[in-house]
Amino acid sequence: MDEKRPLEPAPSPQSSKRSKLDFEGESGSPPHTDSANATALGSRNVGFDHENAGGKPNKSKNSKDQNLKGRRRRDQASRDQWEARNSDTPKEPRLPKRECALMIGFCGSKYSGMQFQKVQPGLPEPRTIEGELFKALVAAGAVSKDNSEDPVKVGLARAARTDAGVHAVGNIVSLKMIMSVPGVDDLRARINSLLPPDIRLWGFQRVQRSFNARLLCDARKYTYFFPSYLLIPPKPCSHLDRVLREYATSQGCEIPWNDDPFWKAIDPTTSNPQEDMIRKRAWRATPAHVERLRTIVQKFEKTHNFHNFTVARDPRDKTNTRFMKKLQIAEPAVYGETEWIAVSLDGQSFMLHQRKMVFALVMLCRTGTPTNVLDELFGLTTVHVPKMPALGLLLEHPVFTGYNTRIAKLSPSDPDYREPIDFEEYSEEMNTFKQRYIYDNMRNIEDRKGLFDGWIRSIDSYQGKDFLYLNPKGIIPPEAVVTKGERRQNPFRERKVFNMTSFAEDDNEKVQAEEPTDEADEDAEESLTKKELEDAEG
């Protein structure tokens, strides 16, 4: 540790002169920097700091850090001067950038998700929310042309990543942004004029330099909407009804939906989907249905292993553990001819396709399956849990309690003080947008296409064993277990149409319930890497 180092020879006058000339760019090359020396200096200090980790602050290191920052600033200024002298085109003036939080809302129907995606060779550019936002920021001058090719250059991050077609009335994007653009009096209005009408910038504000929308987000609040008729038990004589009846009988049990009033009033063997749909829209959930839903959602609260409610996860992976703060069931509300139920989900974070939780909620309610099956689903056994349709999912807004609490402790005169992140100021605009672009779109598609009815009929038409965990005992049987690497006989396949939230306005053809033949989407999701899954979280 006290080993003596040989003295380094002092630089000759010639070498000093050469260094100065190189630094000024005489040779036609970009100026040299002290980056390598800075890296070496930092690595030598690591061991020293480790020795002092539990002791007094290292004043020597702080001094060297300040010198290093100053040297880097001078190096950058020299590079800028060299580039300006050697460029054929004049450089734009460098405007100050500040770390900002942008509060946005969007209808996701026409987009391939929230997250910016690079163009793949030979393929058209994916249309994403971040892609459209970034283009508008560049066009408005809030992002310089030097940084216009890649959002990574300005540190773009989002609080919640939404899947393709999923909506958000509130989300946060953070990046280094030019807040004052010459010639632009109202930057917010200018950016909105450059955005499609189904993407809105509610406002933006400066945040602390350490701010990162994803890492500092404490919770996300989602709402899932579904027609209450999904709670009607499986249609007698459907494949699911037969499979679950036969299994219950083999276990010495009876299914709980015998003689259900909805199906008892007609001959289910002769009624067609169109006739059933008219009656479903007129059906209303009872207080017992609502209370049953509220009992089930309580099981999802607190901390659990949610590996069965996402894709391609090892059950033992610790990242499957998530904390759900609060799940609530609102009173049913009628819009047009259909009654809707809203489920609010407030959690620290959500994994890819975690709307599978709502599938379990709906199916346990409609089949009368005991809630103890959820305890098994939180265990290490893997089963197949399908996704609910994307149409019903809405991100309400992310929550930044920790950041706002830290800000509140500072005086407004403190140079580190920033305004807390709060969507309340924009609530009126957000509610108007939500009604026009999200709610009306959701209900219109259901009225025209019967998408939720097509989805529930696709579930009831399945004649395999994947759903045998929906039984009167609430125990996962071996026949329903999914084992990695083993091919299942007649596995349930999900249809792409139920991930869609946008259809042509003149498309009034009802969604059919046939099983899919294209397995590409499911296969692609099963092959996602752990990093890709983490990036897909919201």
Side-chain angles (χ1 to χ4, degrees):
M1 182 168 297
D2 295 322
E3 179 184 358
K4 295 183 180 180
R5 298 182 179 179
L7 294 174
E8 297 178 357
S12 67
Q14 289 81 4
S15 64
S16 298
K17 184 176 181 180
R18 178 72 260 166
S19 299
K20 183 177 181 180
L21 288 173
D22 282 347
F23 187 79
E24 293 174 348
E26 178 206 61
S27 63
S29 302
H32 297 293
T33 69
D34 291 332
S35 299
N37 292 336
T39 303
L41 177 63
S43 65
R44 285 199 298 270
N45 282 335
V46 169
F48 183 79
D49 291 338
H50 178 71
E51 293 173 12
N52 288 323
K56 298 179 180 180
N58 188 340
K59 295 182 180 180
S60 176
K61 179 180 181 300
N62 292 337
S63 176
K64 290 177 181 177
D65 286 344
Q66 293 299 322
N67 292 336
L68 201 54
K69 290 178 181 178
R71 189 182 303 124
R72 286 171 177 166
R73 284 195 295 269
R74 292 191 295 273
D75 290 347
Q76 182 62 52
S78 298
R79 285 194 295 271
D80 293 343
Q81 292 172 8
W82 182 88
E83 289 174 0
R85 288 196 301 267
N86 290 275
S87 175
D88 294 333
T89 57
K91 297 284 288 184
E92 282 189 331
R94 294 178 64 88
L95 299 174
K97 300 188 294 291
R98 301 289 183 260
E99 192 70 40
C100 290
L102 284 69
M103 286 162 273
I104 65 171
F106 54 85
C107 172
S109 297
K110 300 177 182 178
Y111 301 93
S112 300
M114 172 75 185
Q115 192 170 3
F116 180 87
Q117 300 175 30
K118 291 185 177 180
V119 181
Q120 299 298 320
L123 296 176
E125 178 183 357
R127 195 163 183 241
T128 65
I129 304 300
E130 285 182 352
E132 295 296 317
L133 176 63
F134 192 69
K135 289 177 186 176
L137 293 172
V138 172
V143 171
S144 69
K145 290 183 179 179
D146 290 341
N147 296 325
S148 63
E149 297 299 320
D150 189 356
V152 173
K153 291 184 177 181
V154 291
L156 188 145
R158 82 288 312 164
R161 175 210 174 274
T162 55
D163 298 337
V166 174
H167 319 301
V169 69
N171 201 357
I172 291 283
V173 170
S174 62
L175 76 160
K176 291 179 180 177
M177 171 177 149
I178 299 169
M179 298 183 68
S180 181
V181 179
V184 179
D185 296 329
D186 188 339
L187 185 55
R188 172 186 180 248
R190 174 61 178 156
I191 295 170
N192 274 324
S193 72
L194 296 165
L195 284 169
D198 52 5
I199 303 176
R200 292 292 87 187
L201 173 64
W202 307 126
F204 62 89
Q205 63 191 63
R206 189 176 175 185
V207 290
Q208 293 182 334
R209 284 183 296 177
S210 60
F211 186 87
N212 179 289
R214 181 184 176 189
L215 299 179
L216 292 182
C217 181
D218 299 302
R220 288 91 174 164
K221 291 187 176 182
Y222 286 85
T223 302
Y224 193 91
F225 301 88
F226 66 88
S228 63
Y229 66 71
L230 296 188
L231 302 179
I232 298 170
K235 184 176 183 178
C237 304
S238 68
H239 291 307
L240 183 65
D241 176 85
R242 176 184 56 79
V243 168
L244 295 183
R245 281 179 186 272
E246 290 177 355
Y247 181 77
T249 300
S250 71
Q251 300 299 305
C253 306
E254 288 189 0
I255 58 169
W257 63 89
N258 271 328
D259 299 324
D260 183 81
F262 182 85
W263 297 115
K264 192 175 181 180
I266 62 167
D267 182 356
T269 61
T270 59
S271 67
N272 59 45
Q274 292 73 30
E275 294 169 340
D276 292 344
M277 186 73 260
I278 293 173
R279 298 181 63 246
K280 286 178 180 179
R281 295 203 188 285
W283 187 84
R284 302 293 179 254
T286 67
H289 287 103
V290 177
E291 186 59 34
R292 168 76 172 155
L293 290 172
R294 289 172 176 161
T295 299
I296 297 170
V297 295
Q298 289 179 1
K299 295 283 289 186
F300 287 104
E301 292 179 354
K302 300 183 179 178
T303 302
H304 301 288
N305 182 343
F306 285 96
H307 76 95
N308 272 313
F309 302 96
T310 184
V311 295
R313 289 281 195 175
D314 184 332
R316 292 175 175 79
D317 192 329
K318 293 183 178 180
T319 60
N320 297 325
T321 302
R322 302 298 163 104
F323 176 64
M324 295 293 113
K325 298 174 69 175
K326 189 71 176 177
L327 280 76
Q328 295 178 297
I329 305 293
E331 287 295 323
V334 177
Y335 297 96
E337 298 177 350
T338 306
E339 182 181 71
W340 293 76
I341 294 177
V343 186
S344 63
L345 306 100
D346 183 354
Q348 281 186 338
S349 62
F350 292 83
M351 294 186 288
L352 178 63
H353 301 329
Q354 204 167 333
R355 64 181 187 266
K356 290 168 176 261
M357 291 194 305
V358 186
F359 173 88
L361 170 67
V362 167
M363 294 302 291
L364 263 64
C365 187
R366 76 188 295 248
T367 62
T369 303
T371 58
N372 57 274
V373 73
L374 292 175
D375 297 323
E376 292 204 42
L377 293 178
F378 294 142
L380 298 180
T381 302
T382 300
V383 301
H384 182 68
V385 180
K387 302 184 294 287
M388 292 289 287
L391 182 64
L393 187 60
L394 167 66
L395 170 64
E396 295 287 354
H397 62 84
V399 179
F400 291 85
T401 305
Y403 175 79
N404 288 346
T405 301
R406 188 167 72 246
I407 287 293
K409 295 178 180 179
L410 301 176
S411 167
S413 61
D414 192 304
D416 288 331
Y417 177 80
R418 303 288 184 267
E419 291 293 325
I421 294 176
D422 189 359
F423 284 92
E424 185 60 33
E425 178 182 350
Y426 313 103
S427 59
E428 187 173 341
E429 291 178 82
M430 293 168 68
N431 287 332
T432 301
F433 179 86
K434 185 183 343 186
Q435 185 64 50
R436 178 180 177 184
Y437 285 95
I438 299 175
Y439 289 169
D440 289 352
N441 172 69
M442 185 187 304
R443 294 161 188 159
N444 179 267
I445 289 175
E446 169 59 20
D447 289 344
R448 290 189 293 116
K449 302 287 296 176
L451 187 137
F452 280 97
D453 182 55
W455 177 80
I456 200 66
R457 286 189 292 109
S458 75
I459 299 294
D460 288 357
S461 66
Y462 174 61
Q463 45 189 322
K465 299 180 178 180
D466 279 359
F467 303 151
L468 287 182
Y469 54 85
L470 301 170
N471 60 69
K473 292 185 177 181
I475 298 173
I476 299 175
E479 297 94 322
V481 173
V482 176
T483 302
K484 187 175 182 179
E486 291 186 10
R487 190 169 184 84
R488 309 195 306 282
Q489 183 179 4
N490 191 20
F492 181 79
R493 298 293 183 187
E494 301 184 54
R495 296 188 61 200
K496 293 180 182 179
V497 68
F498 300 121
N499 285 327
M500 296 175 61
T501 60
S502 179
F503 298 86
E505 292 187 6
D506 60 351
D507 181 2
N508 298 315
E509 184 179 354
K510 301 299 182 185
V511 175
Q512 302 303 309
E514 288 82 4
E515 290 191 27
T517 56
D518 187 355
E519 303 174 10
D521 278 1
E522 288 189 349
D523 292 343
E525 288 181 349
E526 290 298 327
S527 63
L528 290 176
T529 66
K530 186 175 180 179
K531 178 63 168 60
E532 289 171 332
L533 283 170
E534 289 174 354
D535 289 342
E537 293 175 356

